[in-house]
């Protein structure tokens, strides 16, 4: 089947066929991480829709909206190679009416950890994701564990607003040296890239420990050793569903998450670990 490129909401309606529909929301500049999400969608659904939309609502005023990479032609090649059925690529004007009023709030979860550093970010994410759900009407949607708090707030929205959509989480795809793939990695110089490796190294060091205090300390030590070119924003050990900090008595799955800037490029990464296994 020929790949359909939908620029307008009506195009999406025309592209609809019977069977299960999977949506993979992205901001484009597609890499192996996105490809793994698409493959997971392909394996589960009859029709795969990939959205490519750099969502202005989820960028703060001093963030990189205007310089976010846009590589649409290459993205289409990736989608063709992965057997995607429909690419939804709207203009901001198609998504947001100038007189719009109503948006989604991520609540408290939107104000902690990543949300504390990026006020309004998760509200912007949820607003666009809900709109994409309404426009595409998927049966399931695939999101990366790479953005662990994003996955958590989306699951919360689906539960709290009774959305009839199954949410699948996909594991983080990494470079052989451990760096998590990101559209923003292309901005890293060779030197920056070496500094950036401290993120995944810190997470591995943390994951080798068994108590919250030791996990945090081991990861922090690696971050501290990376030197002043790594500007750490936060290191958090959190409940993966709520992103509340875990204490020493916590049992079960936790997420160790880190955010840092290398030069002008802000990177995030996380690992999942199990605390106090019986
Ligand atoms: P983005 O285009 O960065 O907004 O990401 C679109 C989707 O791809 C999100 O669900 C991300 O979590 C996911 N994603 C981004 N990077 C990776 C990665 N390295 N591995 C797996 N999924 C990823």
């Amino acid at each position: 089947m020929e790949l359909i490129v939908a620029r307008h909401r009506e195009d999406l309606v025309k592209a609809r066929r019977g069977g299960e529909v999977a949506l993979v929301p992205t901001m484009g500049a597609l890499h192996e991480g996105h490809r793994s999400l698409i493959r997971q969608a392909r394996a589960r659904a009859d029709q795969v829709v990939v959205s490519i939309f750099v969502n202005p609502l989820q960028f703060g005023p001093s963030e990189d909206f205007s310089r976010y990479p846009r590589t649409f032609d290459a993205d289409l090649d990736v989608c063709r190679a992965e057997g995607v059925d429909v690419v939804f690529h709207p203009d901001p004007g198609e998504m947001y009416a100038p007189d719009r009023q109503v948006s989604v709030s991520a609540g408290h979860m939107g104000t902690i950890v990543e949300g504390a550093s990026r006020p309004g970010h998760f509200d912007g994410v949820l607003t666009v994701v809900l709109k994409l759900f309404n426009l595409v009407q998927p049966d399931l949607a695939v999101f990366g564990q790479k953005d662990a708090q994003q996955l958590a707030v989306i699951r919360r929205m689906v539960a709290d607003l009774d959305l009839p959509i199954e949410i699948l989480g996909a594991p983080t795809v990494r470079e052989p040296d451990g760096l998590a793939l990101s559209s923003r990695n292309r901005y890293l110089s060779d030197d920056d890239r070496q500094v950036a490796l401290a993120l995944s190294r810190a997470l591995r060091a943390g994951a080798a420990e068994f108590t919250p205090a030791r996990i945090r300390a081991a990861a922090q030590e690696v971050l501290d050793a990376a030197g002043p070119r790594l500007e750490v924003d936060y290191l958090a050990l959190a409940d993966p569903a709520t992103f509340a900090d875990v204490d020493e008595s916590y049992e079960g799955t936790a997420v160790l998450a880190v955010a840092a800037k290398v030069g002008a490029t802000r990177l995030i990464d996380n690992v999942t670990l199990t605390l106090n296994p019986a």
Side-chain angles (χ1 to χ4, degrees), residues 25-28 31 33-34 36-37 58 68 142-147 150 170-174 180-183:
T26 81
M27 298 204 298
H31 51 65
H34 299 111
S36 78
L37 269 56
Q58 70 190 68
Y68 194 85
V142 189
F143 295 88
Q145 183 64 40
K146 159 82 168 32
D147 297 275
Q150 170 173 287
T172 301
V173 177
R174 298 175 180 281
L181 295 193
S182 163
S183 302

Short mmCIF file of all heavy atoms in Angstrom, two decimals, residues 25-28 31 33-34 36-37 58 68 142-147 150 170-174 180-183, ligand 1:
data_model
loop_
_atom_site.label_atom_id
_atom_site.label_comp_id
_atom_site.label_asym_id
_atom_site.label_seq_id
_atom_site.Cartn_x
_atom_site.Cartn_y
_atom_site.Cartn_z
N PRO A 25 2.64 8.81 18.07
CA PRO A 25 2.87 10.25 18.00
C PRO A 25 4.37 10.58 18.08
O PRO A 25 5.08 10.05 18.94
CB PRO A 25 2.16 10.80 19.24
CG PRO A 25 1.27 9.70 19.71
CD PRO A 25 1.98 8.43 19.32
N THR A 26 4.84 11.46 17.20
CA THR A 26 6.25 11.87 17.20
C THR A 26 6.34 13.35 16.84
O THR A 26 5.40 13.94 16.33
CB THR A 26 7.11 11.10 16.18
OG1 THR A 26 6.94 11.70 14.88
CG2 THR A 26 6.76 9.63 16.10
N MET A 27 7.55 13.89 17.08
CA MET A 27 7.84 15.24 16.60
C MET A 27 8.78 15.19 15.39
O MET A 27 9.40 16.19 15.03
CB MET A 27 8.43 16.09 17.72
CG MET A 27 7.44 16.25 18.89
SD MET A 27 7.73 17.71 19.89
CE MET A 27 9.38 17.38 20.50
N GLY A 28 8.90 14.01 14.79
CA GLY A 28 9.73 13.88 13.59
C GLY A 28 11.20 13.75 13.93
O GLY A 28 11.56 13.44 15.06
N HIS A 31 14.32 8.42 14.29
CA HIS A 31 15.53 7.60 14.47
C HIS A 31 15.11 6.19 14.88
O HIS A 31 13.92 5.86 14.87
CB HIS A 31 16.46 8.24 15.51
CG HIS A 31 15.78 8.60 16.81
ND1 HIS A 31 15.24 7.66 17.66
CD2 HIS A 31 15.53 9.81 17.39
CE1 HIS A 31 14.72 8.26 18.71
NE2 HIS A 31 14.86 9.57 18.58
N GLY A 33 14.81 4.75 17.63
CA GLY A 33 13.85 4.69 18.74
C GLY A 33 12.43 4.77 18.22
O GLY A 33 11.56 3.96 18.58
N HIS A 34 12.19 5.75 17.33
CA HIS A 34 10.87 5.87 16.73
C HIS A 34 10.53 4.61 15.92
O HIS A 34 9.40 4.12 15.93
CB HIS A 34 10.82 7.07 15.78
CG HIS A 34 11.07 8.40 16.45
ND1 HIS A 34 12.20 9.13 16.21
CD2 HIS A 34 10.34 9.11 17.32
CE1 HIS A 34 12.15 10.26 16.91
NE2 HIS A 34 11.03 10.27 17.59
N SER A 36 11.41 1.61 16.45
CA SER A 36 11.01 0.48 17.30
C SER A 36 9.55 0.64 17.75
O SER A 36 8.82 -0.34 17.88
CB SER A 36 11.96 0.30 18.48
OG SER A 36 11.68 1.23 19.48
N LEU A 37 9.12 1.89 17.98
CA LEU A 37 7.72 2.14 18.33
C LEU A 37 6.81 1.75 17.15
O LEU A 37 5.75 1.13 17.33
CB LEU A 37 7.50 3.62 18.66
CG LEU A 37 7.65 4.07 20.12
CD1 LEU A 37 9.00 3.72 20.70
CD2 LEU A 37 7.39 5.56 20.25
N GLN A 58 4.13 22.50 23.87
CA GLN A 58 4.92 21.82 24.88
C GLN A 58 6.33 22.38 25.02
O GLN A 58 7.14 21.84 25.75
CB GLN A 58 4.95 20.31 24.62
CG GLN A 58 5.75 19.87 23.42
CD GLN A 58 5.51 18.40 23.11
OE1 GLN A 58 4.42 18.00 22.70
NE2 GLN A 58 6.53 17.57 23.32
N TYR A 68 14.19 23.14 16.69
CA TYR A 68 13.98 21.69 16.78
C TYR A 68 14.14 21.10 15.36
O TYR A 68 13.64 21.66 14.39
CB TYR A 68 12.59 21.37 17.34
CG TYR A 68 12.47 19.93 17.76
CD1 TYR A 68 12.90 19.52 19.02
CD2 TYR A 68 11.99 18.96 16.89
CE1 TYR A 68 12.83 18.19 19.40
CE2 TYR A 68 11.92 17.62 17.26
CZ TYR A 68 12.35 17.24 18.52
OH TYR A 68 12.30 15.92 18.88
N VAL A 142 1.39 3.99 20.94
CA VAL A 142 2.68 3.53 21.45
C VAL A 142 3.53 4.74 21.81
O VAL A 142 3.69 5.67 21.01
CB VAL A 142 3.43 2.67 20.41
CG1 VAL A 142 4.66 2.01 21.04
CG2 VAL A 142 2.51 1.61 19.81
N PHE A 143 4.11 4.70 23.03
CA PHE A 143 4.99 5.77 23.51
C PHE A 143 6.26 5.15 24.07
O PHE A 143 6.25 4.01 24.55
CB PHE A 143 4.30 6.58 24.62
CG PHE A 143 3.09 7.33 24.14
CD1 PHE A 143 1.84 6.73 24.14
CD2 PHE A 143 3.20 8.63 23.68
CE1 PHE A 143 0.72 7.41 23.70
CE2 PHE A 143 2.09 9.32 23.22
CZ PHE A 143 0.84 8.72 23.23
N GLY A 144 7.35 5.90 24.04
CA GLY A 144 8.64 5.39 24.51
C GLY A 144 8.84 5.58 26.01
O GLY A 144 8.48 6.61 26.57
N GLN A 145 9.43 4.57 26.60
CA GLN A 145 9.83 4.63 28.00
C GLN A 145 10.92 5.69 28.20
O GLN A 145 11.14 6.18 29.29
CB GLN A 145 10.35 3.23 28.39
CG GLN A 145 10.77 3.04 29.81
CD GLN A 145 9.63 3.21 30.79
OE1 GLN A 145 8.50 2.76 30.53
NE2 GLN A 145 9.90 3.87 31.91
N LYS A 146 11.59 6.07 27.12
CA LYS A 146 12.60 7.14 27.17
C LYS A 146 12.04 8.39 27.83
O LYS A 146 12.72 9.09 28.57
CB LYS A 146 13.05 7.44 25.73
CG LYS A 146 13.69 8.78 25.48
CD LYS A 146 15.14 8.77 25.86
CE LYS A 146 15.95 9.96 25.39
NZ LYS A 146 15.30 11.21 25.30
N ASP A 147 10.76 8.70 27.54
CA ASP A 147 10.08 9.83 28.17
C ASP A 147 9.15 9.25 29.24
O ASP A 147 7.93 9.21 29.07
CB ASP A 147 9.31 10.63 27.13
CG ASP A 147 10.25 11.23 26.09
OD1 ASP A 147 10.78 12.31 26.35
OD2 ASP A 147 10.49 10.59 25.05
N GLN A 150 6.34 11.33 30.72
CA GLN A 150 5.32 11.55 29.68
C GLN A 150 4.40 10.33 29.58
O GLN A 150 3.17 10.46 29.54
CB GLN A 150 6.02 11.81 28.34
CG GLN A 150 5.08 11.81 27.15
CD GLN A 150 5.80 12.24 25.88
OE1 GLN A 150 6.10 13.40 25.71
NE2 GLN A 150 6.09 11.30 24.99
N ALA A 170 7.26 1.38 25.12
CA ALA A 170 8.31 0.67 24.37
C ALA A 170 9.67 0.99 24.99
O ALA A 170 9.92 2.13 25.39
CB ALA A 170 8.29 1.10 22.91
N PRO A 171 10.54 -0.02 25.08
CA PRO A 171 11.84 0.19 25.73
C PRO A 171 12.70 1.22 25.00
O PRO A 171 12.56 1.44 23.80
CB PRO A 171 12.50 -1.20 25.69
CG PRO A 171 11.66 -2.05 24.83
CD PRO A 171 10.35 -1.39 24.61
N THR A 172 13.61 1.83 25.75
CA THR A 172 14.50 2.85 25.20
C THR A 172 15.56 2.22 24.30
O THR A 172 16.23 1.27 24.70
CB THR A 172 15.19 3.62 26.35
OG1 THR A 172 14.17 4.21 27.14
CG2 THR A 172 16.13 4.70 25.82
N VAL A 173 15.71 2.77 23.11
CA VAL A 173 16.75 2.31 22.18
C VAL A 173 17.98 3.18 22.40
O VAL A 173 17.87 4.42 22.48
CB VAL A 173 16.27 2.40 20.72
CG1 VAL A 173 17.38 1.99 19.76
CG2 VAL A 173 15.04 1.53 20.52
N ARG A 174 19.15 2.53 22.50
CA ARG A 174 20.39 3.23 22.81
C ARG A 174 21.45 3.00 21.74
O ARG A 174 21.41 1.99 21.03
CB ARG A 174 20.96 2.72 24.15
CG ARG A 174 20.04 2.97 25.31
CD ARG A 174 20.55 2.37 26.63
NE ARG A 174 19.57 2.70 27.66
CZ ARG A 174 19.50 3.88 28.25
NH1 ARG A 174 20.41 4.81 27.97
NH2 ARG A 174 18.56 4.14 29.13
N ALA A 180 21.16 7.25 24.98
CA ALA A 180 19.79 7.04 24.50
C ALA A 180 19.58 7.84 23.22
O ALA A 180 19.97 9.02 23.14
CB ALA A 180 18.80 7.47 25.56
N LEU A 181 19.00 7.22 22.21
CA LEU A 181 18.74 7.94 20.96
C LEU A 181 17.77 9.09 21.23
O LEU A 181 16.80 8.94 21.98
CB LEU A 181 18.15 7.01 19.91
CG LEU A 181 19.04 5.88 19.41
CD1 LEU A 181 18.43 5.26 18.15
CD2 LEU A 181 20.44 6.35 19.11
N SER A 182 18.04 10.22 20.60
CA SER A 182 17.17 11.39 20.72
C SER A 182 17.34 12.24 19.47
O SER A 182 18.44 12.32 18.92
CB SER A 182 17.57 12.20 21.95
OG SER A 182 17.02 13.51 21.87
N SER A 183 16.24 12.86 19.05
CA SER A 183 16.34 13.76 17.90
C SER A 183 17.32 14.89 18.17
O SER A 183 17.90 15.46 17.26
CB SER A 183 14.96 14.35 17.59
OG SER A 183 14.04 13.31 17.34
P1 LIG B 1 9.67 12.58 20.09
O1 LIG B 1 9.65 12.62 18.60
O2 LIG B 1 11.00 12.85 20.71
O3 LIG B 1 8.55 13.39 20.72
O4 LIG B 1 9.36 11.09 20.50
C1 LIG B 1 8.26 10.40 19.98
C2 LIG B 1 8.12 9.08 20.71
O5 LIG B 1 9.32 8.32 20.53
C3 LIG B 1 7.92 9.26 22.22
O6 LIG B 1 6.96 8.32 22.67
C4 LIG B 1 9.29 8.98 22.76
O7 LIG B 1 9.27 8.48 24.08
C5 LIG B 1 9.79 7.92 21.80
N1 LIG B 1 11.26 7.86 21.80
C6 LIG B 1 12.13 8.88 21.68
N2 LIG B 1 13.39 8.45 21.79
C7 LIG B 1 13.33 7.11 21.99
C8 LIG B 1 14.30 6.07 22.20
N3 LIG B 1 15.62 6.32 22.21
N4 LIG B 1 13.86 4.81 22.37
C9 LIG B 1 12.52 4.53 22.36
N5 LIG B 1 11.57 5.46 22.18
C10 LIG B 1 11.96 6.73 22.00
#
